[in-house]
Amino acid sequence: MQGTSIELTELSYWYEDVEQPALRGVSLTIPAGQFTAVIGPGGSGKSTLCQLLSGYLPRSGGGRREGKVRLDALDPAEAPIAEIAKVAGIVFQDPDAQLVRGVVEDEAAFGPENLRVPPPEIESRVAEALAAVRLTARRRSPVRELSGGQRQRTAIAAVLSLAPRMIVFDDASASLDPAAQAQFVQLCRRLHAHGRTVVTVSGRFDDAARAAERVIVLDGGAVLLDGAPQELLRTSRDRLAQLGVLPPWEGAAEAGGLVTAPAQRAPGGDIPGGDPASGPLLEVRSLSYTYPGGQEALRDVSFAMHPGAWGMLTGENGSGKTTLTRLLMGLLPVPSHSVYWKGRDVSGMSVHQLARDIGYVFQQPEHQFVEHTVWDELVYGLRVRGGWRRRQADLTPEQTEAAEAWLAAAGLSGRRQDSPYLLSKGEKKLLSVIGQLIQPKALYILDEPTSGIDYRAARRLLKLCRGAAAAGAALLMITHDPRLVEEDASFVLRLDQGIVEDYRQLSRNQEKISVRS
């Protein structure tokens, strides 16, 4: 198959009501059939570039574009959608923003159906695409029953079935477990070997970047580095480390300079969580859960958490991690006599009751945002506390001062009046975390908080979490980044197909955690 060439000439782009350009004067050429990785820290313009290549910007998303974008001879801002679909397919960061049908095989068939591909060929394309992402066994599953990583693979299959000559993966492997990430790299290699143009986009110098023929590094909306991956690692390692695209154990330099997180105190000055000797905050007793369609998600899971414990929840995509945490939060119907919060059966408690003591950070921060500015999003919980809405002027001086400190700790002081939806992925995750931490609680549950963000943002986020743990809060963190978290964690609990496969106590705060499996 002949790939698609990309030509960008003096490309700049401004979002609506934002003075600074997200991209500025980018000129580069990607020849047809090349495997290229675009990497850079949060806010460097990577996702903006992807949306310009797809034609979403400025056609649907608004804003102002200057310069030239050509996919072969097509301008994606003006060409018919059906023509763009033949030359370029884009897999975005959030799979839920691309999935429209509700069943896995229907998602994969949706694009070819709309292009009027003959039915026999549609069936062949769907089967091939699902096999490529290892979802053949789940082809008739409802999307709502899939894990985040499985939904991402479904979105990839939906683009593969269109058979475009170029595929752009915008952080499409961020929510995948390590095995699935390795499979993703192999998929990119196969697509490249078949002649397609492949562009992977990430906040990290990940395995896909190392496998690529060429790596383009963006920073501040401009091209900073451009070359073969091994050459960049040899000549520019310090610079890459300073940008935060190399992991701490590879970089020769640290970002440094992070602002200390505000001290966390509950109203009245008490540290949340209580006395560890009084019993566990959270106890799970032989918890099993099956979705209404018959898919078993958890079987006989047991563990307990005390104040100050930091749990690391790991496992492959579909192992039951997100199901477990949603049960703990009451977001799914909890079987009776299986989950206890401070000694009380959770099955008899409402989500609202649990939310008083438990903060939950979703894998996709956008799913939690409700306000129009970063500041309003941060203080939203303070305004609605007690069930009634206050105006901004009603925030106490102490609350306002604390909110300013949280913004500074997250590195968002300069973004307070921006839309949360215009933040980089790392900034969105930091905002969602401080939006929970600003109200001290006994337990925080975080679903993949470091996935898809650069290491500089990840270090900042983990520093915020350390402050919460030091104040006595317990943390339960789903993660595919165990090396980033293990030095802070009290224990690691690994699930495999809904069963506790492994439990290991780690060195930190072991006296505060007990687990039964």
Side-chain angles (χ1 to χ4, degrees):
M1 175 181 286
Q2 176 65 38
T4 300
S5 65
I6 302 173
E7 183 180 356
L8 309 178
T9 306
E10 289 298 318
L11 176 62
S12 297
Y13 178 79
W14 290 260
Y15 286 98
E16 291 182 359
D17 301 322
V18 178
E19 293 184 5
Q20 295 298 319
L23 288 176
R24 48 188 181 87
V26 174
S27 295
L28 58 87
T29 298
I30 297 177
Q34 188 175 78
F35 181 0
T36 302
V38 178
I39 67 173
S44 59
K46 305 182 302 297
S47 289
T48 301
L49 176 60
C50 292
Q51 293 180 70
L52 287 165
L53 292 176
S54 72
Y56 175 79
L57 294 177
R59 173 157 40 190
S60 299
R64 176 166 59 95
R65 189 193 89 179
E66 292 183 358
K68 186 172 74 172
V69 180
R70 293 292 183 270
L71 306 180
D72 289 342
L74 295 179
D75 184 341
E78 299 175 355
I81 298 296
E83 292 301 311
I84 297 174
K86 295 176 184 178
V87 301
I90 312 289
V91 182
F92 292 108
Q93 292 177 349
D94 181 2
D96 295 327
Q98 289 186 263
L99 301 177
V100 296
R101 294 296 300 273
V103 175
V104 171
E105 66 178 355
D106 293 343
E107 296 288 354
F110 181 74
E113 288 173 346
N114 279 272
L115 293 179
R116 298 182 178 180
V117 174
E121 186 177 346
I122 291 177
E123 177 57 33
S124 174
R125 288 192 187 187
V126 168
E128 183 178 341
L130 293 180
V133 297
R134 305 200 177 192
L135 281 179
T136 301
R138 302 300 301 271
R139 64 180 298 158
R140 293 181 176 84
S141 297
V143 171
R144 67 178 181 275
E145 295 182 5
L146 302 181
S147 70
Q150 290 170 328
R151 292 198 301 276
Q152 187 63 275
R153 284 189 276 155
T154 302
I156 293 173
V159 172
L160 292 177
S161 67
L162 288 165
R165 300 197 298 271
M166 174 185 76
I167 300 183
V168 179
F169 296 100
D170 184 5
D171 247 333
S173 67
S175 59
L176 302 181
D177 60 63
Q181 288 183 19
Q183 293 160 11
F184 170 75
V185 174
Q186 292 303 315
L187 172 62
C188 291
R189 285 176 166 151
R190 289 198 303 272
L191 293 170
H192 174 233
H194 292 160
R196 285 189 173 93
T197 305
V198 177
V199 180
T200 64
V201 178
S202 175
R204 302 178 179 184
F205 210 122
D206 55 12
D207 289 342
R210 295 167 194 267
E213 298 175 276
R214 173 187 181 189
V215 174
I216 298 169
V217 182
L218 295 181
D219 185 37
V223 175
L224 179 66
L225 299 169
D226 187 347
Q230 294 307 316
E231 178 68 14
L232 292 184
L233 288 171
R234 185 180 67 82
T235 62
S236 305
R237 184 175 291 272
D238 285 356
R239 203 168 189 183
L240 294 169
Q242 290 167 355
L243 287 175
V245 298
L246 284 179
W249 49 90
E250 286 193 35
E254 293 289 334
L258 298 186
V259 180
T260 303
Q264 286 190 276
R265 299 283 171 172
D270 295 329
I271 297 175
D275 182 2
S278 64
L281 282 173
L282 175 71
E283 188 173 9
V284 178
R285 302 176 186 173
S286 300
L287 172 63
S288 298
Y289 184 80
T290 299
Y291 282 97
Q295 177 69 30
E296 184 182 51
L298 296 171
R299 187 194 310 168
D300 199 29
V301 174
S302 300
F303 68 99
M305 293 188 71
H306 289 78
W310 186 328
M312 189 165 61
L313 183 57
T314 68
E316 295 183 358
N317 298 133
S319 61
K321 304 183 301 296
T322 297
T323 299
L324 173 59
T325 58
R326 290 184 176 178
L327 284 164
L328 301 182
M329 193 65 203
L331 298 176
L332 293 173
V334 183
S336 59
H337 308 299
S338 59
V339 179
Y340 292 84
W341 177 250
K342 295 182 178 179
R344 182 177 173 185
D345 190 345
V346 166
S347 64
M349 301 174 67
S350 68
V351 175
H352 177 71
Q353 288 175 300
L354 290 168
R356 295 171 184 167
D357 285 335
I358 304 175
Y360 194 101
V361 177
F362 285 85
Q363 186 172 342
Q364 299 294 341
E366 296 93 331
H367 297 178
Q368 288 182 275
F369 293 157
V370 295
E371 290 286 4
H372 299 293
T373 70
V374 168
W375 175 261
D376 289 337
E377 184 64 39
L378 173 61
V379 301
Y380 176 81
L382 299 177
R383 291 172 171 171
V384 300
R385 186 176 246 180
W388 56 280
R389 182 71 178 266
R390 302 186 206 171
R391 299 173 60 189
Q392 183 167 335
D394 290 329
L395 291 176
T396 67
E398 292 79 10
Q399 288 174 325
T400 301
E401 182 181 359
E404 295 284 6
W406 283 112
L407 277 184
L412 296 174
S413 294
R415 306 299 302 273
R416 57 181 295 140
Q417 294 305 318
D418 292 341
S419 167
Y421 300 97
L422 293 182
L423 299 179
S424 70
K425 186 168 186 177
E427 290 170 332
K428 289 175 182 176
K429 293 210 171 193
L430 284 162
L431 177 58
S432 67
V433 169
I434 63 174
Q436 292 297 319
L437 296 181
I438 196 171
Q439 297 183 82
K441 297 184 178 180
L443 170 66
Y444 297 99
I445 299 174
L446 304 98
D447 192 350
E448 291 285 359
T450 62
S451 68
I453 67 177
D454 63 74
Y455 292 104
R456 187 165 54 188
R459 286 194 295 267
R460 189 184 290 272
L461 189 150
L462 291 173
K463 189 167 188 176
L464 293 168
C465 291
R466 290 186 196 112
L475 295 96
L476 184 61
M477 181 180 291
I478 298 176
T479 184
H480 291 313
D481 283 330
R483 288 193 68 178
L484 286 177
V485 183
E486 61 188 2
E487 68 179 43
D488 296 297
S490 306
F491 73 97
V492 57
L493 184 66
R494 178 176 176 82
L495 296 179
D496 180 28
Q497 298 182 20
I499 301 172
V500 176
E501 177 191 55
D502 181 41
Y503 162 66
R504 285 176 290 114
Q505 284 192 347
L506 303 178
S507 59
R508 179 187 171 275
N509 293 335
Q510 290 188 23
E511 73 280 0
K512 295 184 178 179
I513 182 70
S514 64
V515 173
R516 300 193 312 274
S517 59

Coordinates of all heavy atoms in Angstrom, one line a residue, residues 105-161:
E105 N -17.9 -5.0 17.6 CA -17.8 -5.2 16.2 C -18.6 -4.1 15.4 O -18.2 -3.8 14.3 CB -18.4 -6.6 15.8 CG -19.9 -6.8 16.1 CD -20.3 -8.2 15.7 OE1 -19.5 -8.9 15.1 OE2 -21.5 -8.5 15.9
D106 N -19.6 -3.5 16.0 CA -20.3 -2.4 15.4 C -19.5 -1.2 15.3 O -19.6 -0.4 14.3 CB -21.6 -2.1 16.1 CG -22.6 -3.2 16.0 OD1 -22.5 -4.1 15.2 OD2 -23.6 -3.2 16.9
E107 N -18.6 -1.0 16.3 CA -17.7 0.2 16.2 C -16.7 0.0 15.1 O -16.5 0.9 14.3 CB -16.9 0.3 17.5 CG -17.7 0.6 18.8 CD -18.3 2.0 18.8 OE1 -17.9 2.8 17.9 OE2 -19.1 2.3 19.7
A108 N -16.2 -1.2 14.9 CA -15.2 -1.5 13.8 C -15.9 -1.4 12.4 O -15.2 -1.0 11.4 CB -14.6 -2.8 14.0
A109 N -17.2 -1.7 12.4 CA -17.9 -1.6 11.1 C -18.4 -0.3 10.7 O -18.8 0.0 9.5 CB -19.0 -2.6 11.1
F110 N -18.5 0.6 11.7 CA -19.2 1.9 11.5 C -18.6 2.7 10.3 O -19.3 3.3 9.5 CB -19.2 2.7 12.8 CG -19.9 4.0 12.7 CD1 -21.3 4.1 12.7 CD2 -19.2 5.2 12.6 CE1 -21.9 5.3 12.6 CE2 -19.8 6.5 12.6 CZ -21.2 6.5 12.5
G111 N -17.3 2.9 10.3 CA -16.6 3.7 9.3 C -16.8 3.1 7.9 O -17.2 3.9 7.0
P112 N -16.5 1.9 7.7 CA -16.7 1.3 6.3 C -18.1 1.3 5.9 O -18.4 1.6 4.7 CB -16.2 -0.1 6.5 CG -15.3 -0.1 7.6 CD -15.8 0.9 8.6
E113 N -19.1 1.2 6.8 CA -20.5 1.3 6.4 C -20.8 2.7 5.9 O -21.5 2.8 4.9 CB -21.4 0.9 7.6 CG -21.4 -0.5 8.0 CD -22.1 -0.8 9.3 OE1 -22.4 0.2 10.0 OE2 -22.4 -2.0 9.5
N114 N -20.3 3.7 6.5 CA -20.5 5.0 6.1 C -19.8 5.4 4.8 O -20.2 6.3 4.1 CB -20.1 6.0 7.2 CG -21.2 6.1 8.3 OD1 -22.1 6.9 8.2 ND2 -21.1 5.3 9.3
L115 N -18.8 4.7 4.4 CA -18.1 4.9 3.2 C -18.7 4.0 2.1 O -18.1 3.9 1.0 CB -16.6 4.6 3.3 CG -15.8 5.6 4.2 CD1 -14.3 5.2 4.3 CD2 -15.9 7.0 3.7
R116 N -19.7 3.2 2.4 CA -20.4 2.4 1.5 C -19.5 1.3 0.9 O -19.6 0.9 -0.2 CB -21.0 3.2 0.3 CG -22.0 4.2 0.8 CD -22.6 5.0 -0.4 NE -23.7 5.9 0.0 CZ -24.3 6.7 -0.8 NH1 -24.1 6.7 -2.1 NH2 -25.2 7.5 -0.3
V117 N -18.7 0.7 1.8 CA -17.9 -0.5 1.4 C -18.8 -1.7 1.3 O -19.8 -1.8 2.1 CB -16.8 -0.7 2.5 CG1 -16.1 -2.0 2.2 CG2 -15.9 0.5 2.6
P118 N -18.7 -2.5 0.3 CA -19.5 -3.7 0.2 C -19.5 -4.6 1.4 O -18.5 -4.7 2.1 CB -18.9 -4.4 -1.0 CG -18.2 -3.4 -1.8 CD -17.7 -2.4 -0.8
P119 N -20.7 -5.1 1.8 CA -20.8 -5.9 3.1 C -19.8 -7.0 3.2 O -19.2 -7.1 4.3 CB -22.2 -6.4 3.0 CG -23.0 -5.4 2.3 CD -22.0 -4.9 1.2
P120 N -19.5 -7.8 2.2 CA -18.5 -8.8 2.4 C -17.1 -8.3 2.8 O -16.4 -8.8 3.6 CB -18.4 -9.6 1.1 CG -19.8 -9.3 0.4 CD -20.1 -7.9 0.9
E121 N -16.8 -7.1 2.2 CA -15.5 -6.5 2.5 C -15.5 -5.9 3.9 O -14.5 -6.0 4.6 CB -15.1 -5.5 1.5 CG -13.7 -4.9 1.7 CD -13.3 -3.9 0.6 OE1 -14.0 -3.8 -0.4 OE2 -12.3 -3.2 0.9
I122 N -16.6 -5.4 4.3 CA -16.8 -4.9 5.7 C -16.5 -6.0 6.7 O -15.7 -5.8 7.6 CB -18.2 -4.3 5.9 CG1 -18.3 -3.0 5.1 CG2 -18.3 -4.0 7.4 CD1 -19.7 -2.4 5.2
E123 N -17.1 -7.1 6.5 CA -16.9 -8.3 7.4 C -15.4 -8.7 7.4 O -14.9 -8.9 8.5 CB -17.7 -9.5 6.9 CG -17.6 -10.7 7.8 CD -17.9 -10.5 9.3 OE1 -18.7 -9.6 9.6 OE2 -17.2 -11.1 10.1
S124 N -14.8 -8.7 6.3 CA -13.4 -9.0 6.2 C -12.5 -8.0 7.0 O -11.6 -8.3 7.8 CB -12.9 -9.1 4.8 OG -11.5 -9.3 4.7
R125 N -12.8 -6.7 6.8 CA -12.1 -5.7 7.4 C -12.3 -5.7 8.9 O -11.3 -5.5 9.7 CB -12.5 -4.3 6.9 CG -12.0 -4.0 5.5 CD -12.3 -2.5 5.2 NE -12.1 -2.1 3.9 CZ -12.1 -0.8 3.4 NH1 -12.4 0.1 4.3 NH2 -11.9 -0.5 2.2
V126 N -13.5 -5.9 9.4 CA -13.8 -6.0 10.8 C -13.0 -7.1 11.5 O -12.4 -6.9 12.5 CB -15.3 -6.1 11.1 CG1 -15.6 -6.4 12.5 CG2 -16.0 -4.8 10.7
A127 N -13.1 -8.3 10.9 CA -12.4 -9.4 11.4 C -10.9 -9.2 11.5 O -10.2 -9.5 12.5 CB -12.7 -10.7 10.6
E128 N -10.3 -8.6 10.4 CA -8.9 -8.3 10.4 C -8.5 -7.3 11.5 O -7.5 -7.4 12.2 CB -8.5 -7.9 9.0 CG -7.0 -7.6 8.9 CD -6.6 -7.2 7.5 OE1 -7.4 -7.5 6.5 OE2 -5.5 -6.7 7.3
A129 N -9.3 -6.2 11.6 CA -9.0 -5.2 12.5 C -9.1 -5.7 14.0 O -8.2 -5.3 14.8 CB -9.9 -4.0 12.3
L130 N -10.1 -6.4 14.3 CA -10.2 -6.9 15.7 C -9.1 -7.9 16.0 O -8.7 -8.0 17.1 CB -11.6 -7.6 15.9 CG -12.8 -6.6 15.8 CD1 -14.1 -7.4 16.0 CD2 -12.7 -5.5 16.8
A131 N -8.7 -8.7 15.0 CA -7.6 -9.6 15.3 C -6.3 -8.9 15.5 O -5.5 -9.3 16.4 CB -7.5 -10.6 14.1
A132 N -6.1 -7.8 14.8 CA -4.9 -7.0 14.9 C -4.8 -6.4 16.3 O -3.6 -6.2 16.8 CB -4.9 -5.8 13.9
V133 N -5.9 -6.1 17.0 CA -5.8 -5.5 18.4 C -6.2 -6.5 19.4 O -6.4 -6.2 20.6 CB -6.7 -4.3 18.5 CG1 -6.2 -3.2 17.5 CG2 -8.2 -4.6 18.2
R134 N -6.4 -7.8 19.0 CA -6.6 -8.9 19.9 C -8.0 -8.7 20.7 O -8.0 -8.9 21.9 CB -5.5 -9.1 20.9 CG -4.2 -9.3 20.1 CD -3.1 -10.0 21.0 NE -1.9 -10.2 20.2 CZ -0.8 -10.9 20.5 NH1 -0.9 -11.5 21.7 NH2 0.2 -11.0 19.8
L135 N -9.0 -8.4 19.9 CA -10.3 -8.3 20.5 C -11.3 -9.2 19.9 O -12.5 -9.0 20.0 CB -10.8 -6.8 20.4 CG -10.2 -5.8 21.4 CD1 -10.8 -4.4 21.2 CD2 -10.6 -6.2 22.9
T136 N -10.9 -10.2 19.1 CA -11.8 -11.1 18.4 C -12.8 -11.7 19.4 O -14.0 -11.8 19.2 CB -11.1 -12.1 17.6 OG1 -10.2 -11.5 16.7 CG2 -12.0 -13.1 16.9
A137 N -12.3 -12.1 20.6 CA -13.1 -12.8 21.6 C -14.2 -11.9 22.2 O -15.1 -12.3 22.8 CB -12.3 -13.4 22.7
R138 N -14.0 -10.5 22.1 CA -14.9 -9.6 22.6 C -15.7 -8.8 21.6 O -16.3 -7.8 21.9 CB -14.1 -8.5 23.5 CG -13.3 -9.1 24.6 CD -14.1 -9.9 25.6 NE -15.1 -9.1 26.3 CZ -14.9 -8.3 27.3 NH1 -13.8 -8.3 27.9 NH2 -15.9 -7.6 27.9
R139 N -15.8 -9.4 20.4 CA -16.4 -8.6 19.3 C -17.9 -8.3 19.5 O -18.4 -7.3 19.0 CB -16.2 -9.3 17.9 CG -16.9 -10.7 17.8 CD -16.6 -11.3 16.4 NE -17.2 -10.5 15.4 CZ -16.7 -10.5 14.1 NH1 -15.7 -11.3 13.8 NH2 -17.3 -9.7 13.2
R140 N -18.6 -9.1 20.3 CA -20.0 -8.8 20.6 C -20.2 -8.2 21.9 O -21.3 -8.2 22.4 CB -20.8 -10.1 20.4 CG -20.8 -10.6 18.9 CD -21.6 -11.9 18.7 NE -21.7 -12.2 17.3 CZ -20.8 -12.9 16.7 NH1 -19.7 -13.3 17.3 NH2 -20.9 -13.2 15.4
S141 N -19.1 -7.8 22.6 CA -19.3 -7.3 24.0 C -19.7 -5.8 23.9 O -19.3 -5.1 23.0 CB -17.9 -7.3 24.7 OG -17.5 -8.6 24.9
P142 N -20.6 -5.4 24.8 CA -20.9 -4.0 24.9 C -19.6 -3.2 25.3 O -18.9 -3.6 26.2 CB -21.9 -3.9 26.1 CG -22.5 -5.3 26.1 CD -21.3 -6.2 25.8
V143 N -19.5 -2.0 24.7 CA -18.3 -1.2 25.0 C -18.2 -0.8 26.5 O -17.2 -0.7 27.1 CB -18.3 0.0 24.1 CG1 -17.2 1.0 24.5 CG2 -18.1 -0.4 22.6
R144 N -19.4 -0.6 27.1 CA -19.4 -0.1 28.5 C -18.9 -1.1 29.4 O -18.5 -0.8 30.6 CB -20.9 0.2 28.9 CG -21.8 -1.0 28.9 CD -23.2 -0.6 29.4 NE -24.1 -1.8 29.5 CZ -24.8 -2.3 28.5 NH1 -24.7 -1.8 27.3 NH2 -25.5 -3.4 28.7
E145 N -18.8 -2.4 29.0 CA -18.2 -3.4 29.9 C -16.7 -3.6 29.7 O -16.1 -4.4 30.4 CB -18.9 -4.8 29.6 CG -20.4 -4.8 30.0 CD -21.0 -6.1 29.8 OE1 -20.3 -7.1 29.4 OE2 -22.3 -6.2 30.0
L146 N -16.1 -2.9 28.8 CA -14.7 -3.0 28.5 C -13.9 -2.1 29.5 O -14.3 -1.1 29.9 CB -14.4 -2.6 27.1 CG -15.1 -3.3 25.9 CD1 -14.6 -2.8 24.6 CD2 -14.8 -4.8 26.0
S147 N -12.6 -2.5 29.7 CA -11.7 -1.7 30.4 C -11.3 -0.5 29.5 O -11.5 -0.5 28.3 CB -10.5 -2.5 30.8 OG -9.7 -2.8 29.6
G148 N -10.6 0.5 30.1 CA -10.1 1.6 29.4 C -9.2 1.2 28.2 O -9.3 1.7 27.1
G149 N -8.3 0.3 28.5 CA -7.4 -0.2 27.5 C -8.1 -0.9 26.4 O -7.7 -0.8 25.2
Q150 N -9.1 -1.7 26.7 CA -9.9 -2.4 25.7 C -10.7 -1.5 24.8 O -10.8 -1.7 23.6 CB -10.8 -3.5 26.4 CG -10.0 -4.6 27.0 CD -10.9 -5.5 27.8 OE1 -11.9 -5.1 28.4 NE2 -10.6 -6.8 27.9
R151 N -11.2 -0.4 25.4 CA -11.9 0.6 24.7 C -10.9 1.3 23.7 O -11.3 1.6 22.6 CB -12.6 1.6 25.6 CG -13.7 1.1 26.3 CD -14.7 2.1 26.9 NE -14.0 3.1 27.8 CZ -13.8 2.9 29.1 NH1 -14.2 1.7 29.6 NH2 -13.2 3.8 29.8
Q152 N -9.7 1.5 24.2 CA -8.7 2.2 23.3 C -8.4 1.2 22.1 O -8.3 1.7 21.0 CB -7.4 2.5 24.1 CG -6.4 3.3 23.3 CD -6.9 4.6 22.9 OE1 -7.5 4.8 21.9 NE2 -6.6 5.6 23.7
R153 N -8.3 0.0 22.4 CA -8.0 -1.0 21.3 C -9.2 -1.0 20.3 O -9.0 -1.2 19.1 CB -7.7 -2.4 21.8 CG -6.3 -2.5 22.4 CD -5.9 -3.9 22.8 NE -6.4 -4.3 24.1 CZ -6.7 -5.5 24.4 NH1 -6.5 -6.5 23.6 NH2 -7.1 -5.8 25.7
T154 N -10.4 -0.9 20.8 CA -11.6 -0.8 20.0 C -11.5 0.4 19.1 O -11.8 0.3 17.9 CB -12.9 -0.8 20.8 OG1 -12.9 -1.9 21.7 CG2 -14.1 -0.8 19.9
A155 N -11.1 1.5 19.6 CA -11.0 2.7 18.8 C -9.9 2.5 17.7 O -10.1 3.0 16.6 CB -10.6 3.9 19.7
I156 N -8.8 1.9 18.0 CA -7.8 1.6 17.0 C -8.4 0.7 15.9 O -8.2 0.9 14.7 CB -6.6 0.9 17.7 CG1 -5.9 1.9 18.6 CG2 -5.6 0.4 16.6 CD1 -4.8 1.3 19.5
A157 N -9.1 -0.3 16.3 CA -9.7 -1.2 15.3 C -10.7 -0.5 14.4 O -10.8 -0.7 13.2 CB -10.5 -2.4 16.0
A158 N -11.4 0.5 15.0 CA -12.4 1.3 14.2 C -11.7 2.1 13.1 O -12.2 2.3 12.0 CB -13.2 2.2 15.1
V159 N -10.4 2.5 13.4 CA -9.7 3.3 12.4 C -9.0 2.3 11.4 O -9.0 2.5 10.2 CB -8.6 4.2 13.1 CG1 -7.7 4.8 12.0 CG2 -9.3 5.3 13.9
L160 N -8.5 1.2 11.9 CA -7.9 0.2 11.0 C -8.8 -0.3 9.9 O -8.5 -0.5 8.8 CB -7.3 -1.0 11.8 CG -6.2 -0.8 12.7 CD1 -5.8 -2.0 13.5 CD2 -4.9 -0.3 12.0
S161 N -10.1 -0.5 10.3 CA -11.1 -1.0 9.4 C -11.4 0.0 8.2 O -11.9 -0.4 7.2 CB -12.4 -1.3 10.1 OG -13.0 -0.1 10.6

